[in-house]
Structures are given as structure tokens and as C-alpha cells.
Amino acid sequence: LDEFDLDPCAPIERPWPIAQRHYTIEDDGLKQDWHGRVWCNPPFNKFERPKFMEKMSAHGDGILMIPAAFETNAFRKFVWDKADAMLFLMYRPRYYNNKGERLEFNSGGPMILAAYGFYNVRVLEKSDLGPVFKYPWGK
Ligand SMILES: C[S@@+](CC[C@H](N)C(=O)[O-])C[C@H]1O[C@@H](n2cnc3c(N)ncnc32)[C@H](O)[C@@H]1O
């Protein structure tokens, strides 16, 4: 997915850098200014996740990874109404711990990547992670 300038919701201990700059829970990524191309894989907490989705859609440059919960308010407001493309991941993402060891569990359900901005649409189209649907949806 190419290089990112910022991960606004990064773990405190990371096995490798995710972006050039990281904000952790200690910084509170929601209170910071976001810059450049953002990778946003928000916390699963149902109060925080919509706030990260809102900030990502307002920022308008980057890729958001979230569960494929198409029917939720947050998905309607910040993905259907604001994203430029969606990629339906063909496989469930797997996770690694902070030592870089691959964990047994996966996302437990379907996930999508949402692109904000033309460059990020192109990146999704060039990836082989799954089918891409562009705004205007279904046209
Ligand atoms: C789903 S993980 C994603 C980790 C990383 N961005 C990645 O893609 O591998 C969500 C992360 O957000 C962090 N987090 C939770 N609340 C946060 C906040 N208010 N500001 C910044 N990071 C936060 C958690 O500590 C956790 O590491």
C-alpha cells in the first residue's frame, strides 16, 4: 500500500514502523493535527472508532481499514458519503504481536479498505488485495 506519512493510532511498542510518524494512545491521535498520507486502522472500541473514521474522512488523504459493517451510522457518514473507493479484502487480515510474531487469530470477520483521495484510489487498484469499487457507487 506504499509508504505512509502518519499512523494516528499506533501501538506504543511496534515490531516495525508503520509510517514516518506515529501517534499512540499516549498522544491521543484524535487530538493531534494529521498530516500527509495517513494509514488509519482504528481501535475496535465502539466509541473511539467512529471518531477516527470521522477524522480520516475530514483529512481526506489516506487509507482506512475497518470491519465491513456497511449498515452502521459511521459507515454511512464517513465511508459511503465520503470515501473515493472501497476495497473488499479477499482474506481476513492476520495480526502480529509487538515482537513481530504472527498470531493465530485473524480479524474474525470481513474487512474493507477505504481510500480518500485519488492517489489512494490508484494504490488500491494496483494492489491485489481484492476488488475495488469507486465512487459514485454502482455507476
Ligand atoms: C487496531 S490497532 C492498529 C495498530 C496499527 N495502527 C496497525 O495498523 O497495525 C489500534 C491501535 O490504536 C491505539 N489507540 C487507541 N486509542 C488511541 C488514541 N486515542 N490515540 C492513538 N492511538 C490509540 C491502540 O493502542 C492500538 O495500538
Side-chain angles (χ1 to χ4, degrees):
L1 298 179
D2 208 352
E3 295 190 356
F4 292 94
D5 298 307
L6 176 69
D7 179 345
C9 38
I12 294 168
E13 286 181 47
R14 301 176 283 276
W16 44 70
I18 299 159
Q20 291 289 327
R21 177 114 196 249
H22 306 88
Y23 298 139
T24 71
I25 197 163
E26 290 174 348
D27 309 306
D28 190 354
L30 290 169
K31 289 198 181 136
Q32 307 294 327
D33 287 333
W34 292 13
H35 60 273
R37 187 168 181 256
V38 169
W39 165 251
C40 185
N41 172 14
F44 268 48
N45 172 315
K46 70 176 178 184
F47 299 107
E48 277 198 307
R49 187 166 58 204
K51 293 181 187 166
F52 276 96
M53 291 168 68
E54 180 173 15
K55 195 150 166 132
M56 180 76 235
S57 70
H59 178 66
D61 182 7
I63 294 178
L64 170 74
M65 183 168 83
I66 47 163
F70 304 119
E71 81 292 12
T72 58
N73 279 336
F75 205 106
R76 271 192 294 277
K77 278 165 78 175
F78 308 126
V79 182
W80 287 121
D81 289 357
K82 294 276 170 52
D84 296 301
M86 268 187 258
L87 182 150
F88 294 4
L89 284 168
M90 294 284 280
Y91 298 93
R92 290 181 177 179
R94 297 286 299 260
Y95 299 104
Y96 290 76
N97 66 18
N98 58 15
K99 296 192 184 77
E101 296 158 345
R102 196 176 197 231
L103 301 175
E104 279 308 307
F105 60 89
N106 61 35
S107 58
M111 304 285 289
I112 65 118
L113 301 177
Y116 298 85
F118 179 72
Y119 179 77
N120 297 297
V121 175
R122 291 291 299 130
V123 168
L124 292 191
E125 285 181 316
K126 284 199 271 175
S127 81
D128 57 359
L129 298 172
V132 176
F133 299 86
K134 289 197 271 184
Y135 184 85
W137 316 115
K139 294 276 162 47

